[in-house]
Amino acid sequence: MRAILAMALLLAAAPASAATLTVRITGVAEAAGVLRIAVCNQSFDEQGCLYGTSEAAVVPGRDVQFPGLEPGSYAVAVYQDLDGSGELNRNGLGLPTEPYGFSNDVGRIAPPSFSGALFELSGDRTIEIRVRPLFGG
């Protein structure tokens, strides 16, 4: 009985294990450029996004995995870099001209709110991000 109790206490005290986040990107209308994906835990700026990658854009989209993430709160930003410039292109008013998306679909009618894009990761999880242009799509 003591052995069972000791094992139960050890399991309860064990640190939370790392998880795999799968970002399912949908809505890709053309196989042009690359998808740039950032997983952020502090803000949407470069210092707040500790994990990121680029993958070829394919129609209608793709899954991208981020293994080894610690449990916590995260937000995801994705854009389709059509011209390979490494930056989200904007018009003269500062509005995006390339397809983009955020977790929880924030940033469609107002600038994206980091707090609005946050979700909890406590184990392996898949979230969907639909990329589309600001107008249309």
mmCIF file of all heavy atoms in Angstrom, residues 96-128:
data_model
loop_
_atom_site.group_PDB
_atom_site.id
_atom_site.type_symbol
_atom_site.label_atom_id
_atom_site.label_comp_id
_atom_site.label_asym_id
_atom_site.label_seq_id
_atom_site.Cartn_x
_atom_site.Cartn_y
_atom_site.Cartn_z
ATOM 1 N N PRO A 96 -2.481 45.161 -44.177
ATOM 2 C CA PRO A 96 -1.805 44.045 -44.838
ATOM 3 C C PRO A 96 -2.358 43.788 -46.238
ATOM 4 O O PRO A 96 -3.564 43.856 -46.456
ATOM 5 C CB PRO A 96 -2.074 42.858 -43.916
ATOM 6 C CG PRO A 96 -3.127 43.269 -42.982
ATOM 7 C CD PRO A 96 -3.216 44.749 -42.983
ATOM 8 N N THR A 97 -1.439 43.496 -47.158
ATOM 9 C CA THR A 97 -1.842 43.179 -48.530
ATOM 10 C C THR A 97 -1.582 41.709 -48.876
ATOM 11 O O THR A 97 -1.867 41.293 -50.000
ATOM 12 C CB THR A 97 -1.104 44.083 -49.541
ATOM 13 O OG1 THR A 97 0.305 43.885 -49.404
ATOM 14 C CG2 THR A 97 -1.460 45.549 -49.332
ATOM 15 N N GLU A 98 -1.036 40.942 -47.941
ATOM 16 C CA GLU A 98 -0.829 39.512 -48.144
ATOM 17 C C GLU A 98 -1.751 38.754 -47.179
ATOM 18 O O GLU A 98 -2.110 39.272 -46.123
ATOM 19 C CB GLU A 98 0.639 39.136 -47.876
ATOM 20 C CG GLU A 98 1.586 39.741 -48.900
ATOM 21 C CD GLU A 98 3.045 39.438 -48.625
ATOM 22 O OE1 GLU A 98 3.526 39.759 -47.517
ATOM 23 O OE2 GLU A 98 3.701 38.886 -49.524
ATOM 24 N N PRO A 99 -2.137 37.520 -47.543
ATOM 25 C CA PRO A 99 -3.017 36.736 -46.667
ATOM 26 C C PRO A 99 -2.370 36.488 -45.299
ATOM 27 O O PRO A 99 -1.163 36.258 -45.202
ATOM 28 C CB PRO A 99 -3.197 35.417 -47.427
ATOM 29 C CG PRO A 99 -2.890 35.747 -48.853
ATOM 30 C CD PRO A 99 -1.845 36.818 -48.802
ATOM 31 N N TYR A 100 -3.187 36.526 -44.248
ATOM 32 C CA TYR A 100 -2.691 36.342 -42.888
ATOM 33 C C TYR A 100 -3.783 35.748 -42.009
ATOM 34 O O TYR A 100 -4.963 35.707 -42.390
ATOM 35 C CB TYR A 100 -2.223 37.679 -42.295
ATOM 36 C CG TYR A 100 -3.367 38.625 -42.011
ATOM 37 C CD1 TYR A 100 -3.943 38.675 -40.749
ATOM 38 C CD2 TYR A 100 -3.890 39.446 -43.010
ATOM 39 C CE1 TYR A 100 -5.012 39.520 -40.492
ATOM 40 C CE2 TYR A 100 -4.950 40.292 -42.756
ATOM 41 C CZ TYR A 100 -5.511 40.331 -41.498
ATOM 42 O OH TYR A 100 -6.574 41.141 -41.247
ATOM 43 N N GLY A 101 -3.401 35.311 -40.821
ATOM 44 C CA GLY A 101 -4.357 34.815 -39.841
ATOM 45 C C GLY A 101 -3.705 34.692 -38.480
ATOM 46 O O GLY A 101 -2.474 34.608 -38.367
ATOM 47 N N PHE A 102 -4.535 34.710 -37.444
ATOM 48 C CA PHE A 102 -4.081 34.588 -36.055
ATOM 49 C C PHE A 102 -4.928 33.554 -35.335
ATOM 50 O O PHE A 102 -6.067 33.285 -35.746
ATOM 51 C CB PHE A 102 -4.223 35.929 -35.311
ATOM 52 C CG PHE A 102 -3.323 37.011 -35.823
ATOM 53 C CD1 PHE A 102 -3.756 37.880 -36.805
ATOM 54 C CD2 PHE A 102 -2.039 37.160 -35.318
ATOM 55 C CE1 PHE A 102 -2.926 38.885 -37.279
ATOM 56 C CE2 PHE A 102 -1.209 38.158 -35.783
ATOM 57 C CZ PHE A 102 -1.652 39.026 -36.770
ATOM 58 N N SER A 103 -4.402 33.010 -34.266
ATOM 59 C CA SER A 103 -5.204 32.109 -33.442
ATOM 60 C C SER A 103 -6.438 32.859 -32.943
ATOM 61 O O SER A 103 -6.416 34.071 -32.740
ATOM 62 C CB SER A 103 -4.383 31.554 -32.277
ATOM 63 O OG SER A 103 -3.628 32.545 -31.630
ATOM 64 N N ASN A 104 -7.496 32.113 -32.781
ATOM 65 C CA ASN A 104 -8.808 32.637 -32.376
ATOM 66 C C ASN A 104 -9.368 33.622 -33.395
ATOM 67 O O ASN A 104 -10.291 34.377 -33.095
ATOM 68 C CB ASN A 104 -8.764 33.267 -30.982
ATOM 69 C CG ASN A 104 -8.394 32.264 -29.917
ATOM 70 O OD1 ASN A 104 -8.712 31.087 -30.023
ATOM 71 N ND2 ASN A 104 -7.691 32.707 -28.886
ATOM 72 N N ASP A 105 -8.793 33.661 -34.597
ATOM 73 C CA ASP A 105 -9.253 34.504 -35.708
ATOM 74 C C ASP A 105 -9.317 35.996 -35.349
ATOM 75 O O ASP A 105 -10.140 36.734 -35.880
ATOM 76 C CB ASP A 105 -10.608 34.015 -36.230
ATOM 77 C CG ASP A 105 -10.829 34.392 -37.691
ATOM 78 O OD1 ASP A 105 -9.842 34.542 -38.437
ATOM 79 O OD2 ASP A 105 -12.011 34.549 -38.091
ATOM 80 N N VAL A 106 -8.425 36.448 -34.448
ATOM 81 C CA VAL A 106 -8.381 37.880 -34.134
ATOM 82 C C VAL A 106 -7.736 38.628 -35.296
ATOM 83 O O VAL A 106 -7.085 38.044 -36.147
ATOM 84 C CB VAL A 106 -7.606 38.158 -32.813
ATOM 85 C CG1 VAL A 106 -8.270 37.454 -31.644
ATOM 86 C CG2 VAL A 106 -6.152 37.782 -32.927
ATOM 87 N N GLY A 107 -7.910 39.922 -35.332
ATOM 88 C CA GLY A 107 -7.255 40.755 -36.332
ATOM 89 C C GLY A 107 -7.986 40.854 -37.649
ATOM 90 O O GLY A 107 -7.408 41.275 -38.642
ATOM 91 N N ARG A 108 -9.248 40.490 -37.688
ATOM 92 C CA ARG A 108 -10.000 40.585 -38.935
ATOM 93 C C ARG A 108 -10.686 41.942 -39.078
ATOM 94 O O ARG A 108 -10.756 42.474 -40.178
ATOM 95 C CB ARG A 108 -11.042 39.466 -39.041
ATOM 96 C CG ARG A 108 -10.500 38.064 -39.058
ATOM 97 C CD ARG A 108 -9.299 37.789 -39.931
ATOM 98 N NE ARG A 108 -9.427 38.162 -41.314
ATOM 99 C CZ ARG A 108 -8.433 38.091 -42.198
ATOM 100 N NH1 ARG A 108 -7.245 37.657 -41.845
ATOM 101 N NH2 ARG A 108 -8.615 38.462 -43.426
ATOM 102 N N ILE A 109 -11.210 42.506 -37.998
ATOM 103 C CA ILE A 109 -11.901 43.792 -38.098
ATOM 104 C C ILE A 109 -11.214 44.882 -37.282
ATOM 105 O O ILE A 109 -11.658 46.016 -37.263
ATOM 106 C CB ILE A 109 -13.388 43.671 -37.680
ATOM 107 C CG1 ILE A 109 -13.505 43.106 -36.270
ATOM 108 C CG2 ILE A 109 -14.144 42.792 -38.662
ATOM 109 C CD1 ILE A 109 -14.904 43.087 -35.720
ATOM 110 N N ALA A 110 -10.146 44.518 -36.627
ATOM 111 C CA ALA A 110 -9.355 45.467 -35.826
ATOM 112 C C ALA A 110 -7.941 44.904 -35.736
ATOM 113 O O ALA A 110 -7.726 43.735 -36.036
ATOM 114 C CB ALA A 110 -9.965 45.618 -34.430
ATOM 115 N N PRO A 111 -6.978 45.719 -35.325
ATOM 116 C CA PRO A 111 -5.626 45.170 -35.154
ATOM 117 C C PRO A 111 -5.650 43.959 -34.219
ATOM 118 O O PRO A 111 -6.463 43.900 -33.292
ATOM 119 C CB PRO A 111 -4.843 46.330 -34.535
ATOM 120 C CG PRO A 111 -5.565 47.549 -34.994
ATOM 121 C CD PRO A 111 -7.026 47.154 -35.029
ATOM 122 N N PRO A 112 -4.776 42.981 -34.459
ATOM 123 C CA PRO A 112 -4.809 41.769 -33.636
ATOM 124 C C PRO A 112 -4.433 42.054 -32.183
ATOM 125 O O PRO A 112 -3.468 42.749 -31.900
ATOM 126 C CB PRO A 112 -3.772 40.864 -34.290
ATOM 127 C CG PRO A 112 -2.853 41.795 -35.008
ATOM 128 C CD PRO A 112 -3.701 42.955 -35.439
ATOM 129 N N SER A 113 -5.216 41.512 -31.294
ATOM 130 C CA SER A 113 -4.963 41.620 -29.860
ATOM 131 C C SER A 113 -4.235 40.357 -29.415
ATOM 132 O O SER A 113 -4.736 39.247 -29.624
ATOM 133 C CB SER A 113 -6.292 41.746 -29.120
ATOM 134 O OG SER A 113 -6.182 41.344 -27.786
ATOM 135 N N PHE A 114 -3.061 40.528 -28.808
ATOM 136 C CA PHE A 114 -2.324 39.364 -28.334
ATOM 137 C C PHE A 114 -3.155 38.588 -27.318
ATOM 138 O O PHE A 114 -3.273 37.362 -27.403
ATOM 139 C CB PHE A 114 -0.974 39.773 -27.736
ATOM 140 C CG PHE A 114 -0.157 38.614 -27.268
ATOM 141 C CD1 PHE A 114 0.447 37.760 -28.176
ATOM 142 C CD2 PHE A 114 0.002 38.355 -25.915
ATOM 143 C CE1 PHE A 114 1.188 36.657 -27.744
ATOM 144 C CE2 PHE A 114 0.740 37.266 -25.479
ATOM 145 C CZ PHE A 114 1.333 36.413 -26.401
ATOM 146 N N SER A 115 -3.763 39.281 -26.375
ATOM 147 C CA SER A 115 -4.557 38.600 -25.347
ATOM 148 C C SER A 115 -5.747 37.873 -25.973
ATOM 149 O O SER A 115 -6.135 36.806 -25.519
ATOM 150 C CB SER A 115 -5.017 39.569 -24.267
ATOM 151 O OG SER A 115 -5.844 40.570 -24.816
ATOM 152 N N GLY A 116 -6.318 38.438 -27.032
ATOM 153 C CA GLY A 116 -7.440 37.787 -27.712
ATOM 154 C C GLY A 116 -7.029 36.546 -28.486
ATOM 155 O O GLY A 116 -7.845 35.666 -28.736
ATOM 156 N N ALA A 117 -5.765 36.458 -28.859
ATOM 157 C CA ALA A 117 -5.269 35.318 -29.632
ATOM 158 C C ALA A 117 -4.760 34.187 -28.747
ATOM 159 O O ALA A 117 -4.486 33.090 -29.242
ATOM 160 C CB ALA A 117 -4.153 35.777 -30.565
ATOM 161 N N LEU A 118 -4.624 34.431 -27.449
ATOM 162 C CA LEU A 118 -4.064 33.412 -26.547
ATOM 163 C C LEU A 118 -4.967 32.187 -26.404
ATOM 164 O O LEU A 118 -6.193 32.299 -26.375
ATOM 165 C CB LEU A 118 -3.829 34.002 -25.160
ATOM 166 C CG LEU A 118 -2.637 34.939 -25.010
ATOM 167 C CD1 LEU A 118 -2.643 35.585 -23.629
ATOM 168 C CD2 LEU A 118 -1.323 34.208 -25.265
ATOM 169 N N PHE A 119 -4.333 31.045 -26.296
ATOM 170 C CA PHE A 119 -5.005 29.787 -26.000
ATOM 171 C C PHE A 119 -4.096 29.001 -25.064
ATOM 172 O O PHE A 119 -2.898 29.268 -24.972
ATOM 173 C CB PHE A 119 -5.313 28.976 -27.279
ATOM 174 C CG PHE A 119 -4.084 28.607 -28.050
ATOM 175 C CD1 PHE A 119 -3.422 27.415 -27.813
ATOM 176 C CD2 PHE A 119 -3.578 29.473 -29.007
ATOM 177 C CE1 PHE A 119 -2.265 27.087 -28.524
ATOM 178 C CE2 PHE A 119 -2.425 29.155 -29.726
ATOM 179 C CZ PHE A 119 -1.773 27.956 -29.477
ATOM 180 N N GLU A 120 -4.654 28.043 -24.365
ATOM 181 C CA GLU A 120 -3.894 27.236 -23.409
ATOM 182 C C GLU A 120 -3.404 25.953 -24.072
ATOM 183 O O GLU A 120 -4.165 25.289 -24.779
ATOM 184 C CB GLU A 120 -4.744 26.891 -22.191
ATOM 185 C CG GLU A 120 -5.021 28.075 -21.292
ATOM 186 C CD GLU A 120 -3.763 28.714 -20.735
ATOM 187 O OE1 GLU A 120 -2.867 27.988 -20.254
ATOM 188 O OE2 GLU A 120 -3.669 29.955 -20.794
ATOM 189 N N LEU A 121 -2.163 25.638 -23.813
ATOM 190 C CA LEU A 121 -1.566 24.390 -24.277
ATOM 191 C C LEU A 121 -1.182 23.596 -23.040
ATOM 192 O O LEU A 121 -0.303 24.005 -22.281
ATOM 193 C CB LEU A 121 -0.333 24.675 -25.143
ATOM 194 C CG LEU A 121 0.350 23.455 -25.747
ATOM 195 C CD1 LEU A 121 -0.536 22.831 -26.820
ATOM 196 C CD2 LEU A 121 1.696 23.852 -26.342
ATOM 197 N N SER A 122 -1.864 22.475 -22.816
ATOM 198 C CA SER A 122 -1.559 21.642 -21.649
ATOM 199 C C SER A 122 -1.173 20.229 -22.066
ATOM 200 O O SER A 122 -0.733 19.447 -21.234
ATOM 201 C CB SER A 122 -2.750 21.607 -20.686
ATOM 202 O OG SER A 122 -3.899 21.128 -21.349
ATOM 203 N N GLY A 123 -1.324 19.927 -23.333
ATOM 204 C CA GLY A 123 -0.974 18.633 -23.909
ATOM 205 C C GLY A 123 -0.995 18.800 -25.411
ATOM 206 O O GLY A 123 -1.226 19.897 -25.915
ATOM 207 N N ASP A 124 -0.756 17.745 -26.142
ATOM 208 C CA ASP A 124 -0.770 17.845 -27.598
ATOM 209 C C ASP A 124 -2.089 18.458 -28.057
ATOM 210 O O ASP A 124 -3.162 18.113 -27.546
ATOM 211 C CB ASP A 124 -0.602 16.463 -28.226
ATOM 212 C CG ASP A 124 0.773 15.873 -27.959
ATOM 213 O OD1 ASP A 124 1.649 16.588 -27.437
ATOM 214 O OD2 ASP A 124 0.965 14.689 -28.276
ATOM 215 N N ARG A 125 -1.978 19.381 -29.010
ATOM 216 C CA ARG A 125 -3.169 20.109 -29.446
ATOM 217 C C ARG A 125 -3.012 20.546 -30.887
ATOM 218 O O ARG A 125 -1.908 20.849 -31.345
ATOM 219 C CB ARG A 125 -3.367 21.338 -28.552
ATOM 220 C CG ARG A 125 -4.606 22.128 -28.887
ATOM 221 C CD ARG A 125 -4.915 23.177 -27.873
ATOM 222 N NE ARG A 125 -6.122 23.892 -28.288
ATOM 223 C CZ ARG A 125 -6.631 24.905 -27.653
ATOM 224 N NH1 ARG A 125 -6.046 25.346 -26.553
ATOM 225 N NH2 ARG A 125 -7.716 25.508 -28.095
ATOM 226 N N THR A 126 -4.138 20.602 -31.604
ATOM 227 C CA THR A 126 -4.179 21.126 -32.963
ATOM 228 C C THR A 126 -5.070 22.360 -32.968
ATOM 229 O O THR A 126 -6.180 22.326 -32.428
ATOM 230 C CB THR A 126 -4.740 20.078 -33.947
ATOM 231 O OG1 THR A 126 -3.882 18.939 -33.948
ATOM 232 C CG2 THR A 126 -4.837 20.643 -35.361
ATOM 233 N N ILE A 127 -4.558 23.450 -33.540
ATOM 234 C CA ILE A 127 -5.384 24.643 -33.728
ATOM 235 C C ILE A 127 -5.412 24.958 -35.223
ATOM 236 O O ILE A 127 -4.483 24.622 -35.951
ATOM 237 C CB ILE A 127 -4.875 25.865 -32.936
ATOM 238 C CG1 ILE A 127 -3.495 26.299 -33.417
ATOM 239 C CG2 ILE A 127 -4.866 25.584 -31.445
ATOM 240 C CD1 ILE A 127 -3.141 27.696 -32.963
ATOM 241 N N GLU A 128 -6.471 25.579 -35.668
ATOM 242 C CA GLU A 128 -6.605 25.933 -37.083
ATOM 243 C C GLU A 128 -6.470 27.435 -37.256
ATOM 244 O O GLU A 128 -7.080 28.210 -36.520
ATOM 245 C CB GLU A 128 -7.952 25.474 -37.628
ATOM 246 C CG GLU A 128 -8.111 25.743 -39.112
ATOM 247 C CD GLU A 128 -9.406 25.196 -39.686
ATOM 248 O OE1 GLU A 128 -9.826 24.101 -39.269
ATOM 249 O OE2 GLU A 128 -9.989 25.868 -40.545
#
